Amino acid sequence: MSDKSTAENMLDAAKAKVNEGADRLREAGHNAAHAVTGDAHHKAEALEDRAKAEVHNREANAEYNEGKREAKDGDGH
């Protein structure tokens, strides 16, 4: 468990979701570049960005769930 407040957990969840969205946009850009150029480097970059997006998604879910637990617990930590 963390020592963060509900608001801090929810803010961290929101930040992780923004990062996930940015990763997915980069993935789409690399996929488009790969489709146009056929350069395997772009495909590799897309796969890397997809993996980063999945990590950020898991972080967001964990922070959100911790925030919900904190809100129910109500002890401030």
Side-chain angles (χ1 to χ4, degrees), residues 46-76:
L47 292 172
E48 179 182 352
D49 287 331
R50 181 183 304 162
K52 288 179 185 177
E54 291 302 321
V55 168
H56 284 123
N57 182 50
R58 285 190 294 277
E59 288 174 358
N61 289 335
E63 291 289 350
Y64 177 77
N65 289 334
E66 181 63 25
K68 281 188 357 183
R69 280 190 292 276
E70 181 60 34
K72 290 179 185 177
D73 183 17
D75 69 356

PDB file of all heavy atoms in Angstrom, residues 46-76:
ATOM      1  N   ALA A  46       7.062   0.828 -33.129  1.00  0.00           N
ATOM      2  CA  ALA A  46       5.634   0.686 -32.822  1.00  0.00           C
ATOM      3  C   ALA A  46       5.418  -0.365 -31.742  1.00  0.00           C
ATOM      4  O   ALA A  46       4.621  -0.161 -30.812  1.00  0.00           O
ATOM      5  CB  ALA A  46       4.850   0.320 -34.081  1.00  0.00           C
ATOM      6  N   LEU A  47       6.124  -1.482 -31.844  1.00  0.00           N
ATOM      7  CA  LEU A  47       5.993  -2.526 -30.833  1.00  0.00           C
ATOM      8  C   LEU A  47       6.483  -2.044 -29.468  1.00  0.00           C
ATOM      9  O   LEU A  47       5.872  -2.353 -28.434  1.00  0.00           O
ATOM     10  CB  LEU A  47       6.761  -3.769 -31.271  1.00  0.00           C
ATOM     11  CG  LEU A  47       6.185  -4.502 -32.475  1.00  0.00           C
ATOM     12  CD1 LEU A  47       7.139  -5.603 -32.931  1.00  0.00           C
ATOM     13  CD2 LEU A  47       4.815  -5.063 -32.165  1.00  0.00           C
ATOM     14  N   GLU A  48       7.555  -1.277 -29.464  1.00  0.00           N
ATOM     15  CA  GLU A  48       8.067  -0.724 -28.210  1.00  0.00           C
ATOM     16  C   GLU A  48       7.046   0.236 -27.587  1.00  0.00           C
ATOM     17  O   GLU A  48       6.787   0.188 -26.379  1.00  0.00           O
ATOM     18  CB  GLU A  48       9.383   0.017 -28.458  1.00  0.00           C
ATOM     19  CG  GLU A  48       9.967   0.643 -27.212  1.00  0.00           C
ATOM     20  CD  GLU A  48      11.244   1.410 -27.473  1.00  0.00           C
ATOM     21  OE1 GLU A  48      11.784   1.356 -28.604  1.00  0.00           O
ATOM     22  OE2 GLU A  48      11.711   2.067 -26.544  1.00  0.00           O
ATOM     23  N   ASP A  49       6.454   1.101 -28.413  1.00  0.00           N
ATOM     24  CA  ASP A  49       5.464   2.047 -27.895  1.00  0.00           C
ATOM     25  C   ASP A  49       4.216   1.330 -27.397  1.00  0.00           C
ATOM     26  O   ASP A  49       3.610   1.742 -26.408  1.00  0.00           O
ATOM     27  CB  ASP A  49       5.106   3.081 -28.967  1.00  0.00           C
ATOM     28  CG  ASP A  49       6.229   4.082 -29.183  1.00  0.00           C
ATOM     29  OD1 ASP A  49       6.983   4.341 -28.231  1.00  0.00           O
ATOM     30  OD2 ASP A  49       6.356   4.591 -30.313  1.00  0.00           O
ATOM     31  N   ARG A  50       3.830   0.241 -28.053  1.00  0.00           N
ATOM     32  CA  ARG A  50       2.684  -0.538 -27.581  1.00  0.00           C
ATOM     33  C   ARG A  50       2.974  -1.126 -26.204  1.00  0.00           C
ATOM     34  O   ARG A  50       2.117  -1.107 -25.320  1.00  0.00           O
ATOM     35  CB  ARG A  50       2.332  -1.656 -28.557  1.00  0.00           C
ATOM     36  CG  ARG A  50       1.118  -2.466 -28.070  1.00  0.00           C
ATOM     37  CD  ARG A  50       0.785  -3.619 -28.970  1.00  0.00           C
ATOM     38  NE  ARG A  50       0.567  -3.150 -30.327  1.00  0.00           N
ATOM     39  CZ  ARG A  50       0.601  -3.933 -31.389  1.00  0.00           C
ATOM     40  NH1 ARG A  50       0.842  -5.215 -31.255  1.00  0.00           N
ATOM     41  NH2 ARG A  50       0.396  -3.450 -32.588  1.00  0.00           N
ATOM     42  N   ALA A  51       4.176  -1.636 -26.030  1.00  0.00           N
ATOM     43  CA  ALA A  51       4.557  -2.199 -24.733  1.00  0.00           C
ATOM     44  C   ALA A  51       4.542  -1.117 -23.650  1.00  0.00           C
ATOM     45  O   ALA A  51       4.065  -1.346 -22.536  1.00  0.00           O
ATOM     46  CB  ALA A  51       5.933  -2.846 -24.822  1.00  0.00           C
ATOM     47  N   LYS A  52       5.052   0.058 -23.969  1.00  0.00           N
ATOM     48  CA  LYS A  52       5.034   1.162 -23.011  1.00  0.00           C
ATOM     49  C   LYS A  52       3.598   1.543 -22.659  1.00  0.00           C
ATOM     50  O   LYS A  52       3.298   1.832 -21.495  1.00  0.00           O
ATOM     51  CB  LYS A  52       5.759   2.382 -23.584  1.00  0.00           C
ATOM     52  CG  LYS A  52       7.255   2.225 -23.657  1.00  0.00           C
ATOM     53  CD  LYS A  52       7.871   3.478 -24.271  1.00  0.00           C
ATOM     54  CE  LYS A  52       9.351   3.346 -24.475  1.00  0.00           C
ATOM     55  NZ  LYS A  52       9.912   4.548 -25.135  1.00  0.00           N
ATOM     56  N   ALA A  53       2.725   1.553 -23.655  1.00  0.00           N
ATOM     57  CA  ALA A  53       1.328   1.890 -23.417  1.00  0.00           C
ATOM     58  C   ALA A  53       0.681   0.884 -22.467  1.00  0.00           C
ATOM     59  O   ALA A  53      -0.085   1.267 -21.565  1.00  0.00           O
ATOM     60  CB  ALA A  53       0.551   1.942 -24.736  1.00  0.00           C
ATOM     61  N   GLU A  54       0.993  -0.377 -22.639  1.00  0.00           N
ATOM     62  CA  GLU A  54       0.438  -1.406 -21.760  1.00  0.00           C
ATOM     63  C   GLU A  54       0.935  -1.229 -20.324  1.00  0.00           C
ATOM     64  O   GLU A  54       0.178  -1.403 -19.368  1.00  0.00           O
ATOM     65  CB  GLU A  54       0.767  -2.797 -22.287  1.00  0.00           C
ATOM     66  CG  GLU A  54       0.049  -3.140 -23.580  1.00  0.00           C
ATOM     67  CD  GLU A  54      -1.459  -3.066 -23.461  1.00  0.00           C
ATOM     68  OE1 GLU A  54      -2.015  -3.468 -22.425  1.00  0.00           O
ATOM     69  OE2 GLU A  54      -2.096  -2.566 -24.411  1.00  0.00           O
ATOM     70  N   VAL A  55       2.199  -0.860 -20.177  1.00  0.00           N
ATOM     71  CA  VAL A  55       2.744  -0.609 -18.832  1.00  0.00           C
ATOM     72  C   VAL A  55       2.020   0.570 -18.197  1.00  0.00           C
ATOM     73  O   VAL A  55       1.605   0.511 -17.030  1.00  0.00           O
ATOM     74  CB  VAL A  55       4.269  -0.352 -18.882  1.00  0.00           C
ATOM     75  CG1 VAL A  55       4.786   0.191 -17.564  1.00  0.00           C
ATOM     76  CG2 VAL A  55       5.000  -1.629 -19.266  1.00  0.00           C
ATOM     77  N   HIS A  56       1.847   1.643 -18.963  1.00  0.00           N
ATOM     78  CA  HIS A  56       1.145   2.810 -18.422  1.00  0.00           C
ATOM     79  C   HIS A  56      -0.310   2.475 -18.089  1.00  0.00           C
ATOM     80  O   HIS A  56      -0.856   2.993 -17.108  1.00  0.00           O
ATOM     81  CB  HIS A  56       1.224   3.987 -19.394  1.00  0.00           C
ATOM     82  CG  HIS A  56       2.561   4.652 -19.391  1.00  0.00           C
ATOM     83  ND1 HIS A  56       3.318   4.801 -20.517  1.00  0.00           N
ATOM     84  CD2 HIS A  56       3.282   5.194 -18.382  1.00  0.00           C
ATOM     85  CE1 HIS A  56       4.451   5.412 -20.207  1.00  0.00           C
ATOM     86  NE2 HIS A  56       4.455   5.646 -18.911  1.00  0.00           N
ATOM     87  N   ASN A  57      -0.937   1.624 -18.873  1.00  0.00           N
ATOM     88  CA  ASN A  57      -2.307   1.212 -18.589  1.00  0.00           C
ATOM     89  C   ASN A  57      -2.371   0.461 -17.260  1.00  0.00           C
ATOM     90  O   ASN A  57      -3.262   0.718 -16.437  1.00  0.00           O
ATOM     91  CB  ASN A  57      -2.854   0.347 -19.723  1.00  0.00           C
ATOM     92  CG  ASN A  57      -4.288  -0.051 -19.491  1.00  0.00           C
ATOM     93  OD1 ASN A  57      -5.136   0.785 -19.203  1.00  0.00           O
ATOM     94  ND2 ASN A  57      -4.562  -1.338 -19.608  1.00  0.00           N
ATOM     95  N   ARG A  58      -1.435  -0.453 -17.042  1.00  0.00           N
ATOM     96  CA  ARG A  58      -1.404  -1.193 -15.778  1.00  0.00           C
ATOM     97  C   ARG A  58      -1.140  -0.264 -14.598  1.00  0.00           C
ATOM     98  O   ARG A  58      -1.756  -0.394 -13.543  1.00  0.00           O
ATOM     99  CB  ARG A  58      -0.374  -2.315 -15.833  1.00  0.00           C
ATOM    100  CG  ARG A  58      -0.837  -3.505 -16.667  1.00  0.00           C
ATOM    101  CD  ARG A  58       0.076  -4.707 -16.519  1.00  0.00           C
ATOM    102  NE  ARG A  58       1.411  -4.492 -17.052  1.00  0.00           N
ATOM    103  CZ  ARG A  58       1.746  -4.615 -18.333  1.00  0.00           C
ATOM    104  NH1 ARG A  58       0.828  -4.947 -19.221  1.00  0.00           N
ATOM    105  NH2 ARG A  58       2.989  -4.414 -18.730  1.00  0.00           N
ATOM    106  N   GLU A  59      -0.233   0.709 -14.787  1.00  0.00           N
ATOM    107  CA  GLU A  59       0.044   1.685 -13.729  1.00  0.00           C
ATOM    108  C   GLU A  59      -1.205   2.495 -13.401  1.00  0.00           C
ATOM    109  O   GLU A  59      -1.512   2.733 -12.230  1.00  0.00           O
ATOM    110  CB  GLU A  59       1.166   2.634 -14.148  1.00  0.00           C
ATOM    111  CG  GLU A  59       2.535   2.022 -14.168  1.00  0.00           C
ATOM    112  CD  GLU A  59       3.591   2.959 -14.724  1.00  0.00           C
ATOM    113  OE1 GLU A  59       3.266   4.103 -15.138  1.00  0.00           O
ATOM    114  OE2 GLU A  59       4.759   2.548 -14.756  1.00  0.00           O
ATOM    115  N   ALA A  60      -1.913   2.931 -14.432  1.00  0.00           N
ATOM    116  CA  ALA A  60      -3.127   3.722 -14.222  1.00  0.00           C
ATOM    117  C   ALA A  60      -4.166   2.923 -13.444  1.00  0.00           C
ATOM    118  O   ALA A  60      -4.780   3.438 -12.506  1.00  0.00           O
ATOM    119  CB  ALA A  60      -3.704   4.177 -15.568  1.00  0.00           C
ATOM    120  N   ASN A  61      -4.357   1.676 -13.828  1.00  0.00           N
ATOM    121  CA  ASN A  61      -5.336   0.844 -13.134  1.00  0.00           C
ATOM    122  C   ASN A  61      -4.941   0.618 -11.678  1.00  0.00           C
ATOM    123  O   ASN A  61      -5.792   0.677 -10.780  1.00  0.00           O
ATOM    124  CB  ASN A  61      -5.516  -0.489 -13.850  1.00  0.00           C
ATOM    125  CG  ASN A  61      -6.248  -0.336 -15.158  1.00  0.00           C
ATOM    126  OD1 ASN A  61      -7.013   0.591 -15.356  1.00  0.00           O
ATOM    127  ND2 ASN A  61      -5.993  -1.238 -16.079  1.00  0.00           N
ATOM    128  N   ALA A  62      -3.662   0.385 -11.430  1.00  0.00           N
ATOM    129  CA  ALA A  62      -3.200   0.166 -10.056  1.00  0.00           C
ATOM    130  C   ALA A  62      -3.383   1.421  -9.211  1.00  0.00           C
ATOM    131  O   ALA A  62      -3.852   1.349  -8.064  1.00  0.00           O
ATOM    132  CB  ALA A  62      -1.735  -0.260 -10.056  1.00  0.00           C
ATOM    133  N   GLU A  63      -3.029   2.582  -9.751  1.00  0.00           N
ATOM    134  CA  GLU A  63      -3.183   3.839  -9.008  1.00  0.00           C
ATOM    135  C   GLU A  63      -4.661   4.129  -8.739  1.00  0.00           C
ATOM    136  O   GLU A  63      -5.027   4.568  -7.650  1.00  0.00           O
ATOM    137  CB  GLU A  63      -2.553   5.002  -9.768  1.00  0.00           C
ATOM    138  CG  GLU A  63      -1.048   4.951  -9.848  1.00  0.00           C
ATOM    139  CD  GLU A  63      -0.343   5.235  -8.531  1.00  0.00           C
ATOM    140  OE1 GLU A  63      -0.986   5.656  -7.556  1.00  0.00           O
ATOM    141  OE2 GLU A  63       0.876   5.016  -8.473  1.00  0.00           O
ATOM    142  N   TYR A  64      -5.503   3.898  -9.744  1.00  0.00           N
ATOM    143  CA  TYR A  64      -6.944   4.130  -9.579  1.00  0.00           C
ATOM    144  C   TYR A  64      -7.510   3.219  -8.497  1.00  0.00           C
ATOM    145  O   TYR A  64      -8.242   3.675  -7.612  1.00  0.00           O
ATOM    146  CB  TYR A  64      -7.661   3.893 -10.912  1.00  0.00           C
ATOM    147  CG  TYR A  64      -9.150   4.042 -10.807  1.00  0.00           C
ATOM    148  CD1 TYR A  64      -9.737   5.298 -10.758  1.00  0.00           C
ATOM    149  CD2 TYR A  64      -9.974   2.921 -10.743  1.00  0.00           C
ATOM    150  CE1 TYR A  64     -11.110   5.442 -10.646  1.00  0.00           C
ATOM    151  CE2 TYR A  64     -11.349   3.059 -10.635  1.00  0.00           C
ATOM    152  CZ  TYR A  64     -11.915   4.318 -10.586  1.00  0.00           C
ATOM    153  OH  TYR A  64     -13.270   4.449 -10.468  1.00  0.00           O
ATOM    154  N   ASN A  65      -7.157   1.954  -8.554  1.00  0.00           N
ATOM    155  CA  ASN A  65      -7.662   1.008  -7.556  1.00  0.00           C
ATOM    156  C   ASN A  65      -7.162   1.362  -6.160  1.00  0.00           C
ATOM    157  O   ASN A  65      -7.905   1.255  -5.185  1.00  0.00           O
ATOM    158  CB  ASN A  65      -7.282  -0.422  -7.922  1.00  0.00           C
ATOM    159  CG  ASN A  65      -8.060  -0.921  -9.116  1.00  0.00           C
ATOM    160  OD1 ASN A  65      -9.162  -0.467  -9.390  1.00  0.00           O
ATOM    161  ND2 ASN A  65      -7.476  -1.844  -9.855  1.00  0.00           N
ATOM    162  N   GLU A  66      -5.916   1.790  -6.052  1.00  0.00           N
ATOM    163  CA  GLU A  66      -5.378   2.210  -4.762  1.00  0.00           C
ATOM    164  C   GLU A  66      -6.117   3.454  -4.258  1.00  0.00           C
ATOM    165  O   GLU A  66      -6.423   3.569  -3.072  1.00  0.00           O
ATOM    166  CB  GLU A  66      -3.873   2.488  -4.865  1.00  0.00           C
ATOM    167  CG  GLU A  66      -3.243   2.914  -3.569  1.00  0.00           C
ATOM    168  CD  GLU A  66      -3.291   1.865  -2.463  1.00  0.00           C
ATOM    169  OE1 GLU A  66      -3.383   0.663  -2.767  1.00  0.00           O
ATOM    170  OE2 GLU A  66      -3.241   2.260  -1.290  1.00  0.00           O
ATOM    171  N   GLY A  67      -6.417   4.367  -5.161  1.00  0.00           N
ATOM    172  CA  GLY A  67      -7.183   5.558  -4.785  1.00  0.00           C
ATOM    173  C   GLY A  67      -8.572   5.203  -4.289  1.00  0.00           C
ATOM    174  O   GLY A  67      -9.062   5.793  -3.319  1.00  0.00           O
ATOM    175  N   LYS A  68      -9.214   4.243  -4.947  1.00  0.00           N
ATOM    176  CA  LYS A  68     -10.544   3.800  -4.494  1.00  0.00           C
ATOM    177  C   LYS A  68     -10.453   3.168  -3.114  1.00  0.00           C
ATOM    178  O   LYS A  68     -11.296   3.435  -2.253  1.00  0.00           O
ATOM    179  CB  LYS A  68     -11.140   2.801  -5.482  1.00  0.00           C
ATOM    180  CG  LYS A  68     -11.719   3.443  -6.692  1.00  0.00           C
ATOM    181  CD  LYS A  68     -12.495   2.530  -7.626  1.00  0.00           C
ATOM    182  CE  LYS A  68     -12.574   1.088  -7.316  1.00  0.00           C
ATOM    183  NZ  LYS A  68     -13.288   0.309  -8.327  1.00  0.00           N
ATOM    184  N   ARG A  69      -9.424   2.344  -2.894  1.00  0.00           N
ATOM    185  CA  ARG A  69      -9.248   1.735  -1.572  1.00  0.00           C
ATOM    186  C   ARG A  69      -9.010   2.809  -0.524  1.00  0.00           C
ATOM    187  O   ARG A  69      -9.562   2.740   0.582  1.00  0.00           O
ATOM    188  CB  ARG A  69      -8.081   0.741  -1.587  1.00  0.00           C
ATOM    189  CG  ARG A  69      -8.410  -0.615  -2.161  1.00  0.00           C
ATOM    190  CD  ARG A  69      -7.297  -1.619  -1.916  1.00  0.00           C
ATOM    191  NE  ARG A  69      -6.094  -1.311  -2.646  1.00  0.00           N
ATOM    192  CZ  ARG A  69      -5.854  -1.637  -3.905  1.00  0.00           C
ATOM    193  NH1 ARG A  69      -6.778  -2.289  -4.602  1.00  0.00           N
ATOM    194  NH2 ARG A  69      -4.725  -1.328  -4.502  1.00  0.00           N
ATOM    195  N   GLU A  70      -8.203   3.790  -0.867  1.00  0.00           N
ATOM    196  CA  GLU A  70      -7.900   4.877   0.063  1.00  0.00           C
ATOM    197  C   GLU A  70      -9.161   5.674   0.398  1.00  0.00           C
ATOM    198  O   GLU A  70      -9.379   6.058   1.545  1.00  0.00           O
ATOM    199  CB  GLU A  70      -6.829   5.802  -0.523  1.00  0.00           C
ATOM    200  CG  GLU A  70      -6.425   6.936   0.379  1.00  0.00           C
ATOM    201  CD  GLU A  70      -5.865   6.481   1.690  1.00  0.00           C
ATOM    202  OE1 GLU A  70      -5.195   5.430   1.738  1.00  0.00           O
ATOM    203  OE2 GLU A  70      -6.093   7.165   2.698  1.00  0.00           O
ATOM    204  N   ALA A  71      -9.993   5.888  -0.610  1.00  0.00           N
ATOM    205  CA  ALA A  71     -11.228   6.639  -0.386  1.00  0.00           C
ATOM    206  C   ALA A  71     -12.156   5.875   0.577  1.00  0.00           C
ATOM    207  O   ALA A  71     -12.814   6.481   1.418  1.00  0.00           O
ATOM    208  CB  ALA A  71     -11.940   6.905  -1.705  1.00  0.00           C
ATOM    209  N   LYS A  72     -12.198   4.565   0.445  1.00  0.00           N
ATOM    210  CA  LYS A  72     -13.039   3.753   1.340  1.00  0.00           C
ATOM    211  C   LYS A  72     -12.434   3.644   2.719  1.00  0.00           C
ATOM    212  O   LYS A  72     -13.131   3.655   3.728  1.00  0.00           O
ATOM    213  CB  LYS A  72     -13.243   2.351   0.750  1.00  0.00           C
ATOM    214  CG  LYS A  72     -14.122   2.336  -0.467  1.00  0.00           C
ATOM    215  CD  LYS A  72     -14.260   0.945  -1.015  1.00  0.00           C
ATOM    216  CE  LYS A  72     -15.052   0.951  -2.303  1.00  0.00           C
ATOM    217  NZ  LYS A  72     -15.128  -0.375  -2.890  1.00  0.00           N
ATOM    218  N   ASP A  73     -11.102   3.535   2.770  1.00  0.00           N
ATOM    219  CA  ASP A  73     -10.374   3.394   4.030  1.00  0.00           C
ATOM    220  C   ASP A  73     -10.474   4.690   4.831  1.00  0.00           C
ATOM    221  O   ASP A  73     -10.756   4.662   6.030  1.00  0.00           O
ATOM    222  CB  ASP A  73      -8.921   3.035   3.731  1.00  0.00           C
ATOM    223  CG  ASP A  73      -8.087   2.784   4.969  1.00  0.00           C
ATOM    224  OD1 ASP A  73      -8.674   2.565   6.041  1.00  0.00           O
ATOM    225  OD2 ASP A  73      -6.861   2.816   4.847  1.00  0.00           O
ATOM    226  N   GLY A  74     -10.194   5.805   4.172  1.00  0.00           N
ATOM    227  CA  GLY A  74     -10.351   7.110   4.775  1.00  0.00           C
ATOM    228  C   GLY A  74      -9.366   7.464   5.866  1.00  0.00           C
ATOM    229  O   GLY A  74      -9.580   8.408   6.606  1.00  0.00           O
ATOM    230  N   ASP A  75      -8.239   6.765   5.961  1.00  0.00           N
ATOM    231  CA  ASP A  75      -7.293   7.106   7.026  1.00  0.00           C
ATOM    232  C   ASP A  75      -6.264   8.146   6.580  1.00  0.00           C
ATOM    233  O   ASP A  75      -5.400   8.527   7.353  1.00  0.00           O
ATOM    234  CB  ASP A  75      -6.594   5.860   7.575  1.00  0.00           C
ATOM    235  CG  ASP A  75      -5.628   5.213   6.600  1.00  0.00           C
ATOM    236  OD1 ASP A  75      -5.557   5.687   5.449  1.00  0.00           O
ATOM    237  OD2 ASP A  75      -4.955   4.248   6.988  1.00  0.00           O
ATOM    238  N   GLY A  76      -6.348   8.584   5.328  1.00  0.00           N
ATOM    239  CA  GLY A  76      -5.441   9.604   4.848  1.00  0.00           C
ATOM    240  C   GLY A  76      -4.139   9.090   4.282  1.00  0.00           C
ATOM    241  O   GLY A  76      -3.301   9.859   3.839  1.00  0.00           O
TER     242      GLY A  76
END
